[in-house]
Each structure stands twice: as C-alpha cells, then as structure tokens.
Amino acid sequence: MESTVDDPWLWLEEVQGARALDWVKAQNARSLGELEADPRYRPIYEDAVAIHTAQDRIPYGTPIAGTVHNFWQDRTSVRGLLRRTSLARYRTPEPEWEVVLDLDALAQAEGENWVYGGRQFRPPDYQRFLIALSRGGGDAVVLREYDMATRRFVEDGFALPEAKQSAVWLDTDRLLVATSHGGGPVNTSGYPRTIRLWRRGTPIESAELVYEAPETDALLFASVSHRPDGRHAFVLRMPDFFHEEILLIRDDGGTVRLPLPEDIQFAGVFAGRLLVTLRKPWTLGAETFPAGAAVSLDIAATIEAGTARGVRLVAAPPARGALQGIATTRDRLLVQQLELVRGRIEQAEPDGDGWRLRRLDLPDLGSVSIVAADDHGGVAMLTYEDFLTPTTLYVVDGDAPPEPIRRLPARIDPEPYTAEQRIARSADGTEVPYFLLRPKQARTPGQTPTILYGYGGFEIPLAPHYVSALQKAWLEHGGAFAIANIRGGGEFGPAWHQAALKANRQRAYKDFYAVAEDLVASGLTSPRRLGIYGGSNGGLLVGVALTQRPELFGAVACAVPLLDMLRYHRLLAGASWIGEYGDPDVPEERAVLERYSPYHNIPDRPLPPVLFETSTMDDRVHPGHARKMAAKLLERGHRVLYYENTEGGHSAAADLLQLAKRDALTVTFFLRTLADG
C-alpha cells in the first residue's frame, strides 16, 4: 500500500482553483476530442437526446387534493416547466396542462443557471410552494416562496440564500427550517445541525431553536404530516445513515423523543399512528418483529406512557426479498416490496387496532413502484416495467383495481433481445443474483462485448427497469448489459446491506467479481470484452475492481466516484458516510480502508483503459476523487480519459441534453475499448 503522507495531487481538490480548472480543461479537450470524433458518437448522442426529450414520455405527477402537479423537461424547456392539471384531465390521453412556472424563462430573466431541486406545497389550500433551486445542479439550494395564483414569487415571502438546507411547512405562516443561515451551525459533513421555527415576516436570525444535534451527526431533518386526521411534526435525527431518532414536536415547540430503537427508519404517519421500518429485530414483551418489517404504533398513547404502545405489524418482509417503502392515502397504506428482486405492492387497511393486507393485481416479473400518493384523497399512482416492457402508469383509487392510464411507447424492438435472471456464487458460497440483457443471437463464444453495472451500498436495490437510452445504444451495437445485485444493496433487506458494511466491505467486491467470472464462464464474454460501470458508491466499486482484479476486465467507466478512502470524510459530505465505510481516523477502521482504497492501491502492472466522469458542481462527492485518480494513473502511463462537466451536481448532468451527452460518451468509450479489434 502506498504512502498516504505526501499527496502530490492534493491541489486538484481545489474545486475552483485556477490550476485545477486548467488541468480539467486540458483533460476535457483531449477526451472529448477523442470520443466525439468517433463516427458512432453523434448518432448515439442524437438518439439519446430523442429518448430523453421525447414528448410521448410519461408525465409523472404528484396528486394533491384533486390536482396533479408535474415537472417537465424537453428540447424546448431544457430547465423545465412546473405544470398542473386536474386529476380527471390527467387520466385522459392528452391532458391540458397549466404552466405554473417556466424555469427556463426564470433563469434567463435572473441570469442564473437554475436547476430545479423540488418543492414543498403549503397546506391547507396548496396554492403556494417553497421551491428549491440550485446553481448548476448541486445539493446547495436557494429556497423561495412562490404563489401559483399570481404566478409570482411572494413579495417579502420566505426566502433563503444558497446553502445545503431544507424546510417544511408547519402551517401557513411558519416553517421548520434546517439551515446554516442566521447563525445555524453545520455538522462535520457541511449539513445544518439545527431545526428552527421561522415565523413569517421575521428575520431568520430570530427563528426559535427547536432542536440542535451533535456536530458529528450525519443528517437532521424536520418532517410534518398534514392529513385530514391531524397534523404531526417531527425532528428526524440521524447519527449516521442507518440509525435514527424520532422526536415529536409539541404544540409549545418543545420536543419529546419517541421510545424506539435507533436502527429504524421513519416511514410516515397514518391516523395517529407512526409508521417505521426496522433494520434489526425488535422484541416487545413476548412478540418479536423481524428485521425489515414495517410496524405502526399509537403516537398519543406512546407519549403518555413513555414507552411504545399499540405496536402492530403492518407488513413482514418477503422470505427472499425486502420491504422497499410505504406510501399513505387518506384511507390506507401502500407497501412496496421486492421478492427475488421483482416488485409487488400490497394495500394495508386498518383492521381494528391492526392491519389487513391485500395484494394489488399487477404484473410481477419486473419492477412495481409507487410514484406518489395523496394523503387527502384515495388516489395513488404506480408503475410497472421490466427490461423489455415499456413502463405503464396505473392509478389506484380506493378499492378499485389498478387502472392503466398511460404507457411509454416502445423505444426498442424487443424481439432480437432477451432478459434473464442468473445466479453467481461468491467466494464464501453466497448466491448473488444478477440480471442479463443480451441479444438472442450471441456472437462467437466469449466475444460478446458486455457491460457489468453495480452499486452495492446504502441499502439501495437495483431492480429491473425499461431499457435506458444508454442500454438501447449498447444493445443495438451488439452488446450485452448485466446488473449485479451484490451485498451492500437493498435487494434482500437489512441483513444483505449490513453484510458488507465497514470491515466487511470486501464481500461486496467479491460478489461483483463472482458475477463477472460467471459471465465469462457462461461463454458469453471474456475479460477482453467485459467492461464495468458504476457511479458514486458504484464508482468506488469499479475503482476497487480496477486495482484489485484488472485482469478480469477490458475497460472501466467510473462516474462521480469515491476513490481516496483515507480522505473521503474530509471532503464535502463525506463524513456523513462513516456509518457505511468506517472512519479513517479510527486506526482499526483505517486499516480496512487502506487495504482497498483505489487511490492508494494502484498496482504495478497493466490496467484496462478507464473513463472518469464527474462534475465541477458536485457538492456531495468531491470531484477531487476522480481528478486525483486520473492524474495519478496518467502519470504512470495508463490509458485514461477524463471528462468533467462544469455543472450538473452529483448526477453529472444538469439537464436532459447533458444526460444524453454522458450516455453517448460512455457508450462510445465502451465500443472503442470492448467491441473494436
């Protein structure tokens, strides 16, 4: 392992440093000059643009009290439109939309590169919202109050300058804010660590402190449930990503912590009951609720007793799967689950003091997802998709069966291709499933160019989805695409994630290698034709694979990655991920990180060519990770292309055209390295 004392590339961590940006400019010119000159690049890019900006995409909406709100981007509205229509019109094939706010016009008028970051609607009439706008797509946002009736920002309304911050409505004239403005302190990750009550017409400096978290905590949020059956306000304190305290905010502004285990996750409120999911088993008296389950408890009775009361099982996780999330309508819950990495949704209705489950009649060979649900009505919106079946949008209204109201037109002829689920066996004998999307007519054995994609972290599952623009281009050029469901992800519940935490991280990497070896052993491809692709934590995954098993792969695309695992906790939001990776300042945990940190373990042997993709405006994972790794590899004579978008945040794309460019660069790189020759 290389010395970590002297780092000659530390200057590349200066995000806006002149020397660093000159280096980025030179690398961009070299990489774009090579990839964009390839005759295949332009057609791939144009096709990706057509897919990403197509007018016949599904306009996903959020139902609120009979109205459906939508954020829409296309070739003309690059930054996007905020639109609304009635629920009745939304059910029709061509709904008539009312434009509420044109973000392209706003950006032009204000001379800002605004990227939409979400909004919070104000109850009880939902005619105003607090909008988050970022400059270039980063996590830091400006917050401003907007009135849909007047089509204007509210004069002297709530507004906060740019910061990593959040706010929710307590009522029409009060917000619960987590911000560094007005004297609010930040934690070691750069996120706010106070929740304050901010009253309309008063300066943020006078906002009343509700709660202050320790400096070392990962995250802190406020959450308010506005339902017909009552309002509940909470502080959600997260010491790390996988432990949580829930505190009820009383009417007098004080807080009381709910007596719950810390390894839970807040999932909502329904009729005076708190909904949580469990990361570990929870024993109460003679009853034990399993890890991965969803439970409810009586909020008022729990507060009065000082101990959990009225705890009932909502849904247990599937035997070979995981509970993915809960949404609430006025009268029932929707529970989203995965079983063998395939989706299903059940409705949970109150049944006395417990719950009665009913599975919705939806296809079960791909992914079923909850898009949105209305706490003030009976409506929820769901989707079904698989790799070769375009997405269908369903509306569920009360007891009525799911009604398909819109389907994405086919983007690819499915006939020449097949999708299947396979099982690889990891080094310790663990069965690791993966999906494979490939041409039915395979090439000569071992010669199919194949991209293997992975993530394996933060409880995030990789489930089937309809073929993307990137995958379409790759398939149409004769390639195969595999997705690995390795440990560390959320495909099989908390235990699947926890199996690859901290000191056990290498299990995720061995799972990934097992899938790669299975693809080769099956006769589909060979190391020369096998490329790997991942972003963020997945960028770390492929960075480790590059340095540990370079002989197994023919090319690596590494996007917005973590790579310097001995400094990650000192860069931007890195400290908030200590619960996932471990703390480099703790000797025994540092020793584990030292063994696999890609930046410190570059082997003295040939490596496959690498494409790094990142963003100057990524204020979550520092672009210095990719910059430094690329520079070190280039210095040692390895084949490296580096592209840094000057905007785009952690997605490395601020709009649909930039997303299409990222897709085209990636596909072109893999064609040149895996398919040619």
Side-chain angles (χ1 to χ4, degrees):
M1 207 275 305
E2 300 170 7
S3 170
T4 61
V5 176
D6 298 316
D7 185 351
W9 303 109
L10 203 61
W11 55 275
L12 285 170
E13 291 182 4
E14 298 176 26
V15 177
Q16 299 292 346
R19 184 184 177 194
L21 290 179
D22 284 345
W23 181 90
V24 167
K25 184 177 180 181
Q27 295 303 320
N28 281 354
R30 182 177 65 86
S31 300
L32 294 178
E34 180 175 327
L35 294 175
E36 291 182 345
D38 189 295
R40 293 165 293 193
Y41 170 81
R42 196 69 196 179
I44 293 171
Y45 170 73
E46 292 294 346
D47 191 50
V49 169
I51 291 173
H52 286 303
T53 64
Q55 292 293 323
D56 57 7
R57 287 174 292 136
I58 296 175
Y60 295 107
T62 302
I64 301 177
T67 302
V68 178
H69 296 264
N70 164 256
F71 172 63
W72 180 258
Q73 293 174 293
D74 55 28
R75 284 179 183 262
T76 303
S77 301
V78 176
R79 303 184 190 281
L81 301 172
L82 296 178
R83 316 182 297 183
R84 65 180 176 181
T85 190
S86 68
L87 179 59
R89 288 176 178 172
Y90 185 75
R91 289 175 180 260
T92 66
E94 297 291 338
E96 180 182 344
W97 292 98
E98 173 192 359
V99 176
V100 170
L101 178 61
D102 184 330
L103 293 174
D104 292 87
L106 177 68
Q108 183 176 7
E110 298 186 346
E112 295 280 8
N113 181 22
W114 290 133
V115 175
Y116 176 61
R119 53 183 163 165
Q120 293 278 339
F121 290 93
R122 187 185 77 166
D125 60 4
Y126 300 97
Q127 291 302 303
R128 289 186 182 182
F129 55 73
L130 200 67
I131 187 172
L133 299 167
S134 78
R135 293 180 173 91
D139 287 350
V141 295
V142 168
L143 296 178
R144 298 163 71 178
E145 185 180 2
Y146 189 81
D147 190 320
M148 290 187 286
T150 64
R151 303 291 191 278
R152 289 187 174 88
F153 288 101
V154 177
E155 187 176 353
D156 298 325
F158 289 113
L160 286 172
E162 188 177 62
K164 290 186 177 182
Q165 58 192 347
S166 62
V168 292
W169 295 96
L170 186 60
D171 53 36
T172 56
D173 295 314
R174 295 185 298 170
L175 296 178
L176 291 169
V177 296
T179 182
S180 58
H181 290 296
V186 297
N187 63 18
T188 52
S189 305
Y191 293 110
R193 62 186 183 99
T194 59
I195 301 295
R196 289 179 287 167
L197 179 63
W198 189 17
R199 301 176 188 272
R200 184 179 297 280
T202 64
I204 183 62
E205 290 79 7
S206 67
E208 304 158 24
L209 180 66
V210 175
Y211 185 81
E212 181 168 355
E215 185 179 14
T216 54
D217 275 10
L219 297 167
L220 184 71
F221 298 102
S223 177
V224 183
S225 168
H226 298 276
R227 290 180 47 85
D229 45 60
R231 181 189 73 189
H232 291 86
F234 302 94
V235 170
L236 307 180
R237 178 206 166 206
M238 299 176 64
D240 59 44
F241 260 73
F242 313 111
H243 294 85
E244 195 168 307
E245 288 184 6
I246 302 176
L247 298 96
L248 179 74
I249 302 175
R250 301 190 305 256
D251 290 340
D252 63 5
T255 62
V256 55
R257 180 184 172 186
L258 296 177
L260 297 166
E262 284 194 8
D263 36 37
I264 51 94
Q265 185 172 12
F266 178 84
V269 175
F270 181 91
R273 309 181 203 186
L274 179 71
L275 307 169
V276 299
T277 56
L278 308 178
R279 290 188 170 97
K280 291 186 178 178
W282 185 20
T283 299
L284 285 172
E287 188 169 12
T288 296
F289 301 98
V295 300
S296 65
L297 64 121
D298 187 311
I299 297 173
T302 296
I303 294 296
E304 182 178 356
T307 187
R309 288 286 186 265
V311 181
R312 299 291 182 269
L313 179 69
V314 176
R320 293 183 293 173
L323 190 149
Q324 293 295 297
I326 296 176
T328 57
T329 67
R330 180 189 57 227
D331 303 316
R332 65 200 71 205
L333 313 179
L334 294 168
V335 182
Q336 180 178 326
Q337 298 177 326
L338 279 180
E339 186 164 22
L340 285 177
V341 206
R342 298 177 180 186
R344 71 185 195 197
I345 291 180
E346 294 183 302
Q347 283 189 338
E349 301 178 54
D351 184 16
D353 62 354
W355 299 90
R356 181 176 65 256
L357 290 175
R358 178 173 65 90
R359 185 169 177 175
L360 293 182
D361 184 15
L362 293 162
D364 60 1
L365 296 177
S367 292
V368 183
S369 302
I370 301 170
V371 175
D374 185 2
D375 269 331
H376 291 263
V379 169
M381 296 179 185
L382 320 172
T383 59
Y384 173 81
E385 62 188 314
D386 60 49
F387 290 112
L388 296 173
T389 302
T391 308
T392 299
L393 178 68
Y394 295 84
V395 168
V396 177
D397 194 348
D399 291 323
E403 174 192 356
I405 65 167
R406 200 162 279 112
R407 179 169 175 165
L408 183 73
R411 303 304 191 205
I412 192 172
D413 177 7
E415 181 55 33
Y417 309 105
T418 185
E420 57 193 290
Q421 188 178 41
R422 295 182 175 182
I423 301 292
R425 191 170 294 277
S426 195
D428 62 2
T430 300
E431 291 187 344
V432 181
Y434 68 96
F435 293 103
L436 178 62
L437 184 59
R438 62 175 177 84
K440 289 179 181 176
Q441 298 300 320
R443 298 191 179 194
T444 303
Q447 294 303 305
T448 302
T450 302
I451 297 173
L452 172 59
Y453 181 85
Y455 188 79
F458 294 94
E459 300 179 311
I460 295 174
L462 299 181
H465 59 81
Y466 186 54
V467 61
S468 67
L470 184 153
Q471 291 167 332
K472 174 179 183 289
W474 185 244
L475 288 172
E476 290 179 340
H477 281 84
F481 197 96
I483 298 174
N485 299 122
I486 62 179
R487 281 174 285 187
E491 291 87 350
F492 295 97
W496 192 250
H497 167 248
Q498 292 160 14
L501 278 179
K502 294 186 175 181
N504 294 318
R505 200 81 200 163
Q506 190 64 36
R507 288 175 178 166
Y509 307 140
K510 288 183 178 180
D511 288 359
F512 195 61
Y513 307 151
V515 174
E517 290 165 345
D518 196 70
L519 288 166
V520 172
S522 71
L524 175 74
T525 191
S526 64
R528 161 72 179 83
R529 303 291 184 189
L530 177 59
I532 51 176
Y533 179 32
S536 191
N537 175 72
L540 170 62
L541 169 69
V542 299
V544 172
L546 168 72
T547 56
Q548 290 186 352
R549 296 292 304 276
E551 78 289 347
L552 189 53
F553 308 108
V556 179
C558 183
V560 291
L562 289 87
L563 294 166
D564 183 345
M565 296 308 291
L566 302 184
R567 279 183 55 76
Y568 85 91
H569 64 316
R570 303 188 186 281
L571 300 174
L572 297 176
S576 65
W577 310 320
I578 285 174
E580 180 82 14
Y581 302 117
D583 188 345
D585 293 334
V586 175
E588 57 268 28
E589 296 185 3
R590 182 183 183 88
V592 174
L593 293 163
E594 283 180 333
R595 286 196 290 271
Y596 72 79
S597 176
Y599 186 62
H600 303 99
N601 286 280
I602 298 173
D604 186 19
R605 54 175 165 155
L607 300 180
V610 188
L611 169 65
F612 291 102
E613 299 169 311
T614 190
S615 166
T616 312
M617 297 300 293
D618 188 347
D619 54 359
R620 191 181 310 171
V621 176
H622 199 292
H625 286 278
R627 290 178 179 180
K628 295 196 305 177
M629 187 73 171
K632 183 180 279 192
L633 289 172
L634 284 167
E635 181 188 45
R636 299 186 182 189
H638 295 293
R639 293 167 293 170
V640 173
L641 293 177
Y642 180 92
Y643 173 63
E644 181 174 317
N645 189 2
T646 56
E647 56 187 32
H650 191 47
S651 68
D655 57 49
L656 299 177
L657 301 183
Q658 292 178 13
L659 184 58
K661 181 173 184 175
R662 189 191 71 188
D663 287 346
L665 291 173
T666 305
V667 173
T668 303
F669 166 75
F670 278 128
L671 286 173
R672 292 168 65 86
T673 53
L674 302 179
D676 293 352

